[in-house]
Amino acid sequence: MTLKLTKERILENIVKGKRLDSRKLDEYREIRIETGISKKAEGSAKVTIGETAVIAGVKMATATPYPDTPEEGVMTTSAEYLPMGAPEFESGPPREDEIILGRIVDRAIRESKCIDFEKLCIEPKEKVWMVFIDILVMNHDGNLFDACGLAAIAALKDAKMPVLTDDGTVDHEHLKGSLPIKGTPITIAVKCYKGKYILDTNADEGEAMTTQIVVGSNDDGTVSSLQKCGTEGLTKKEIADMLKLAVDTSKKVRTKHFK
Amino acid sequence: MTLKLTKERILENIVKGKRLDSRKLDEYREIRIETGISKKAEGSAKVTIGETAVIAGVKMATATPYPDTPEEGVMTTSAEYLPMGAPEFESGPPREDEIILGRIVDRAIRESKCIDFEKLCIEPKEKVWMVFIDILVMNHDGNLFDACGLAAIAALKDAKMPVLTDDGTVDHEHLKGSLPIKGTPITIAVKCYKGKYILDTNADEGEAMTTQIVVGSNDDGTVSSLQKCGTEGLTKKEIADMLKLAVDTSKKVRTKHFK
Amino acid sequence: MTLKLTKERILENIVKGKRLDSRKLDEYREIRIETGISKKAEGSAKVTIGETAVIAGVKMATATPYPDTPEEGVMTTSAEYLPMGAPEFESGPPREDEIILGRIVDRAIRESKCIDFEKLCIEPKEKVWMVFIDILVMNHDGNLFDACGLAAIAALKDAKMPVLTDDGTVDHEHLKGSLPIKGTPITIAVKCYKGKYILDTNADEGEAMTTQIVVGSNDDGTVSSLQKCGTEGLTKKEIADMLKLAVDTSKKVRTKHFK
Amino acid sequence: MTKSERTDNRKLDEIRPMKMKIGVIKRADGSAEVEFGDTKVVAAVYGPRQIHPRHQERPDRSVLRCRYNMLPFSVSDRKRPGYDRRSTELGKVITESLQPALFLEEFPKTAIDIDMEITQADAGTRTTAINAASLALAHAGIPMRDLVTSVAAGRANKKLLLDMTKEEEDAPDAVDLPVAMMPRTGKITLLQMDGIVSPEDIEKIVDIAEIGCMKIYEMQKKALLEKYSS
Amino acid sequence: MTKSERTDNRKLDEIRPMKMKIGVIKRADGSAEVEFGDTKVVAAVYGPRQIHPRHQERPDRSVLRCRYNMLPFSVSDRKRPGYDRRSTELGKVITESLQPALFLEEFPKTAIDIDMEITQADAGTRTTAINAASLALAHAGIPMRDLVTSVAAGRANKKLLLDMTKEEEDAPDAVDLPVAMMPRTGKITLLQMDGIVSPEDIEKIVDIAEIGCMKIYEMQKKALLEKYSS
Amino acid sequence: MTKSERTDNRKLDEIRPMKMKIGVIKRADGSAEVEFGDTKVVAAVYGPRQIHPRHQERPDRSVLRCRYNMLPFSVSDRKRPGYDRRSTELGKVITESLQPALFLEEFPKTAIDIDMEITQADAGTRTTAINAASLALAHAGIPMRDLVTSVAAGRANKKLLLDMTKEEEDAPDAVDLPVAMMPRTGKITLLQMDGIVSPEDIEKIVDIAEIGCMKIYEMQKKALLEKYSS
């Protein structure tokens, strides 16, 4: 846990527009995205932002559709902190933070409608494809929302369809064709402290400042998911500013890393 | 938890035939039964006895019958202490007390044969109605057995049948006809302390005196479930007396509250 | 837990080739095997080695075969410490030791191919017999691997097949014919301390010496499962010696107790 | 705004009928029941009190713990009792929406526990739970910077709407945006959203939600006043 | 009472054959195995001893903890290992049936743990478990006011019966009423019942159960005498 | 030994290509990633450090705790997250294969935690995990008697082989025997086996595994040297 003194120094600097690692408030650490990092997955990606490292893998299986969407495939996303990711992470049932992380990334993907679920129908009412996105935090140095969101979409775009054999089992060895993915939703977290907006907080900064909005936005500049987190309230103006910053940032990230 | 002094005062008074709230030993606090308290349930009821408050809801679903009763519907009852019900209640897996409470109410309903399970058969061996009775303790001021038993039967009598649609799903929006309920089993707990019999103990009294029999009895005066609880033994005479008191009391409650 | 002094005395004696109960290093306590100890099981056995006592029961049910062995029955083995078995045993989810114990016995049975799984096929791809072997430690005085292994194979050899009725349910009351068991795999644990090999350690000895190999071997002298346990390494020579001792001992046990 | 063709004939910026009842759970330190259309929530507060398990204790502040729970019969298809990911998320989100209004640092080493039970679930369970919890906190006498007030606004069939119905939430272009705020300062403490929308429309929808919050705020104050004047 | 047409040719007030063996679990402080017809139970006692987890400790008495557990192969269809609601209930009910016989206040801050394992289940597992546990407590040298003795009586095919078989329990008019008592004082410590019956018949059935208890009590005393005279 | 008809054209005593990378997890005290054919494992070490939960603390030594975990997408059919019996067993077996190399008694009251995550699973996940963990321990600066080195040997299609492929493991006569050792003393710390084989052949297979271990040992030393010389 961050020492109280470190926390105070971080906040004093933020007020002056400065950061301890001399980045600007809206400056990212280096982002790297590598796909195809696990041969067994239908799709996979490793994302590093500075020293934060997460991996995501996509697996497919057949499932029964929900009664109210009988012709659509289904999706489930989970995020987990691996014990190796930080000294305080522990093996065990998912913690509150992991559940929130998973659900926010899930919504950013789901609500953007970037997965064409109708193309994942095998037989209406009976059988559809289920897409599992599993995200693992391997090294935690802050900004997990951005990193996990990037890993999820990168793994989806990397994924190939497995083959359904005649006897109904799934052949994961012979993949063919991509998953039906249209668009590239990007999740950006913007923190706020005394009227300053900060991007890409590292682990210490993230503990010092919790209040943020996490925004999932799309190629055309629309927003498809939004969540305020943290222990302080925000004014309408702050929210409007942060929203704009998130959408602008997502465009830059999309252009740079997904062409 | 009741202070030791309170406990001693309660017991000293009971021996003299008195109670701290000046009720007679066999006198109830006011009982109120309100049905239809949740629109989403097939049937529901709220029961208050003094400051004790419980609610029960009935939901129906389709299920496979048990192999040994292929033409009968099934039922399951659970009782849960909500964290709001008392300072010492906690969220978590069901505690021993909750399990006992649920099982005693379950048996009182089940053994009375008040639910006509044969009428809940949809297709022999294949599909029957399953009746879920969920009982929640919202405020605990003693005598949960009586309150939960009343809530369960009141919710059952309030319940309407959902409609089974042509494609086999259950339509909970259009209910029609009552559940096949015949009779009104009533659960009454009678406590015993040094030869005195006490009805409707409040929370403090309930902690001071644990030895009791809980009796489920029917419109015709028969008994269909019986359980001794608590840390002391009872003589045969005490049991016979308490049994009579329970059956007589159940008649009064039935007449007054279920016409 | 063994007192430190007892532990030291045990080890000092072992080095001299002696044991506190004056057995030779390779000498067993009396082994007794009794079968048919639970009428409700398809097969059952109680094994005592000195004061160690375990019971095992075999139950059968129908199940779906694994996709890669559509014409073979399936098996599952579990071992559990009953709270009565030792002061330190507790009720609860299975402990690491219990899981290891169950898995080693499972492998000794499974890998020996002593169960003819093809004869447990009812309908290819659809329905096969599932064999449950449940082993319970009733009194723990060491050498649980040998005792549980013996109980498992004795219960299997005692087991009769239940009857599959016309409507697909299992009739456990009318058993007929034995389970298709060929051969008698025997599990033997050999401990090693400073170059000495010790068989059948009691509870105190077992705590003083943890390093061992557990060997499952067959009627023809072949080995079908092998596992090193404990906190010290072993040389190749030690392993070869212990392996031979285990196989030789298994022959004696098989001859004496299974004719 | 004018009268619309909303399924339940409400105006675009009109909320469903709301009822508030304070002091419904006798043993709790504070409690309230709020009905909002067909949604019904009971909230009860215990605390500040000693914290269990002890390792959750904080030396410098009270720990606010919120439980959001749907009763098994509060929905069409019976909900299995016990926690799921959704209730864990909502417990956390509600905690963070109430926390800015509290002076947690004044009660170090304690817990403030809020239990919110959904007895009937229609649209708006989380916002109704926040409104009920806020009243329960006030009823428990826990000092607050302001009441927290919550309602959702959104878009359906190309119209921006306050307090959408379940049917409106199913519109193909539906956007649902629950908001909680402290009306006195205008600080927003809950903001979630699903559905595709422009940043500009988000601002407009938040404005509409604010209108709703102000109405509910008046009702909350009135309910408290009635409780204490009676 | 006279000879009946009971499925197993017993008289109406005759119990199934019962065997008792004391001292079957070496490491336990006390133990016993009881066979009752085709029901078989092993009970073992540890304690009074230090209590884990510590928060269960009571400053003024020992805590009696009973585990009732059916082994997976003790029933026709394999029972999954682990607790269910029925075993939790029976553990509690058995605890309360034994507790009146013990002087728990003489061993403050300790636990007395009884593990009862059903190795073969036919009618009467809970009553047999109580009989076995009672012997195990005596064998452990734990002071008792009296042995606790248990058996069920009931009604089947219009006859009141002692110790019903599984078949008799399936009669359309079946009533099953397990009883435990301390024979010296006649105090009843277990009483449960399922099935529709008049209060008067309950009294008669309890009388029949009492006859059975007295017989078992003699067998328990004899078994203990033999154990200690050998 | 000579060139064989092995599915992947390796010689009988040839291992799959192996890559080692040290220091891959920044926050850990030590870490390494090892690729072995299509198997990939990341291992990270924290410790010696204070132990939680405290009741696991040992007054006279450090407690080594190893977690072996397959990521959900590391296998063809997605693996549900969470522990199963297999991972519990492998955690224990790996702990016992590493423990002989450590001086646990020098760090009383602490824990040394190793997390091994299988990111891609082909043949040999447990042996690869041991090789990675051993490097991670060295990287963490934890004193060791020797590196622990691990590989499997076995039999397929009547041939004794080093480092079998998944296909070879499916041969009707397949025997798979994973071994770990401390090469300096030749002490074997992991030995498991499935499949029917004579005791004599076991000795031969262990000899083959030893050849593989010596090769990997050289690679491990080289990887560490490169890390510290760079």
Side-chain angles (χ1 to χ4, degrees), chain F residues 1 30 65 145 209 223:
Chain F
M1 289 184 189
R65 300 184 295 190
R145 290 187 173 82

Side-chain angles (χ1 to χ4, degrees), chain B residues 103 223 228 230 234 236, chain E residues 89 96 188 191 197 207 210:
Chain B
R103 284 183 67 86
V223 173
K228 185 207 148 278
L234 292 168
K236 285 201 290 181
Chain E
E89 184 197 354
E96 293 189 340
I188 288 169
L191 187 69
V197 65
D207 287 339
E210 193 177 18

Side-chain angles (χ1 to χ4, degrees), chain A residues 13 17-25 27 202 205:
Chain A
N13 273 274
K18 289 184 186 166
R19 298 169 86 162
L20 296 194
D21 59 5
S22 63
R23 282 189 285 151
K24 280 179 273 175
L25 296 190
E27 186 181 343
N202 65 26
E205 292 172 337

Side-chain angles (χ1 to χ4, degrees), chain B residues 94 96-97 99-100 103 107 111-112 221-234 236 239-240 243 247, chain E residues 85-86 88-89 92-93 96 99-100 177 186-197 199 202-203 206-207 210:
Chain B
E96 202 174 66
D97 288 349
I99 290 173
I100 301 282
R103 284 183 67 86
R107 268 207 304 271
E111 297 294 328
S112 76
T222 55
V223 173
S224 47
S225 70
L226 177 58
Q227 182 150 339
K228 185 207 148 278
C229 304
T231 56
E232 297 297 323
L234 292 168
K236 285 201 290 181
I239 288 168
L243 204 51
V247 173
Chain E
R85 292 177 167 253
R86 181 176 175 270
T88 303
E89 184 197 354
K92 170 90 167 177
V93 157
E96 293 189 340
Q99 186 161 340
L177 193 148
K187 286 257 187 167
I188 288 169
T189 63
L190 168 80
L191 187 69
Q192 289 189 297
M193 193 206 71
D194 290 344
I196 299 178
V197 65
I202 291 177
E203 293 181 44
V206 171
D207 287 339
E210 193 177 18

